[in-house]
Amino acid sequence: MTSRPTLPTVWIFGDQLDPWIGPLHEFDPGDCRVLLVESRSKIESKRWHRQRLHVVLSGMAHLAQELCEAGYEVDHRRSATMTSGLAEHRAAYEPTTVIAMEPMSWQARPILQRLGVDLVPNAQFSCHEDDFAHWLEGRGVTRTATSPEQASFKQASFKQASFKQASFKQEDFYRFQRRRLDLLMDGDSPAGGSWNFDHDNREPPPTDGRRWPAIERFELDDIDQLVIERFPDDVWGAAPDGTWPVTRTQARQRLDEFIEHGLPVFGPHEDAMLAAEWKLAHSALSSSLNLGLLHPLEVVEAAENAYRSGRVPIASAEGFIRQVIGWREYVWGLFWAWMPEYRELNALSADRPVPPAFTGDAPTAMHCVASTIEHLHDHAYAHHIERLMVLGNLALTHGVDPQAMTQWMWASFVDGAEWVMVPNVVGMALHADGGRMATKPYASGGAYLNRMSDACKRCVFDPKQRVGPKACPFTTLYWDFLARNEGALSGNHRLARELAGMRRLANIDAVREHAITIRRRLDEGKL
């Protein structure tokens, strides 16, 4: 009997699907083994959207096949947990060492240390969390490790007192990124003469009946079908249809497609919402970025090249690049800076469940919500304004528990992950951090939705009405939210005008009484 050679193992996780940016690039076939583990406990931990589960499991299976074809020995196993998968691999192969790139999960890093896994720095972002921490420290924020175990991984909490005295915002980080990466820069000055073209990118939905850029769907192969057959019974949403890349080749095709057809028209209407258009000119690249199929630098460099060649206007190129190296990496950095306490914050003491209208357990007459949930059901996706100003806005003014909302969005969106959803839900959407991340709550009445979408025209509710059977729930709950949380929000100078307007409402008592009915009906799935 021939014994297996003793080799090091490179462990690749399901959200690190470009193996060449991790430790594997240092090994030739035959010099190591590759470990991939599907965790049943992870699969069973949430009610996943079918398409979210598919991109992860199919991506891992396709990667295993590609590495085998390249000559690597791959141990792709399905185990009860990630920890048991590693133990089973060690028992079978007795590796000399196990090497992995730092995982995206907060909880996983100290666990891997205890298991004796050698970690190399995570290279899936343009700004590592340590670099982000140094940027914060340069603005008066002090980082302190919360335990020796976390200190060894440079994972730390930032002192709240120091935060209160510090001054930093996403725009500062974005400019820092532009300079250090030399992106859209003309010498020391921003290309086009401005750092930010947001004012050009807030147009309402066009009414010219234009056709939005289409995307080519990928054919599902035998690997995809086998993955789909293994889904648990409680998944939800439409079946995978080839919308989302599961290989790097597919992700590169989607990037080229966006740069050619989507990016030129992306900017002006990036905040607009249309019921009949699930993505408009948005890139559909977020899942590929979050799974490691694309690197942010190759994405933004492609966008800059398109601008430099005259194929894309500066407002579209800048707006997209800001989303990738500005907002996305700001969220990533803050996640590591503020965990683990941050995920449990609930500054407004919100305690209601995620509405059945969101989860698909009940229909809703609110047209903007219904169309957003239809997009989510069909594609495991809704663009950033639908997430923030429809789902997040209603959850905020209704008083949905931020942890429940985080878990639901994590499981429901194709690009979902803890590091994505914790800052975006706790900080940006639900103001559960009391204003650490966003300077004011993103609450609005129906007027905003009427301006930026086509939903109100076909809705039974009137965005101008605050009380009565036709009152828009967004409008009613907006004023009730301000009144209900007046004490907590009164110190925010950016809300002074809104709070003063609420106090001047002659029928505020009737609005608040009607809000009780609205909130009860939302909880019951009868709105």
Side-chain angles (χ1 to χ4, degrees), residues 5-25:
T6 302
L7 297 170
T9 288
V10 174
W11 192 359
I12 298 176
F13 304 119
D15 52 7
Q16 299 178 352
L17 297 180
D18 181 356
W20 311 118
I21 64 171
L24 189 64
H25 76 275

Side-chain angles (χ1 to χ4, degrees), residues 122-185:
N122 189 292
Q124 288 179 257
F125 291 80
S126 68
C127 185
H128 189 271
E129 61 262 25
D130 284 344
D131 297 321
F132 186 86
H134 292 313
W135 178 80
L136 281 182
E137 288 167 349
R139 281 151 181 79
V141 185
T142 303
R143 184 169 57 155
T144 57
T146 58
S147 73
E149 188 172 67
Q150 291 171 355
S152 66
F153 278 93
K154 303 176 184 176
Q155 298 175 0
S157 295
F158 283 77
K159 289 182 178 178
Q160 180 72 6
S162 297
F163 167 80
K164 290 295 186 182
Q165 299 165 6
S167 175
F168 66 92
K169 54 184 182 292
Q170 187 269 343
E171 181 68 20
D172 296 332
F173 174 70
Y174 171 55
R175 296 184 185 189
F176 164 76
Q177 285 277 79
R178 288 270 295 276
R179 290 188 179 101
R180 68 185 284 269
L181 299 172
D182 193 26
L183 276 165
L184 283 184
M185 298 296 297

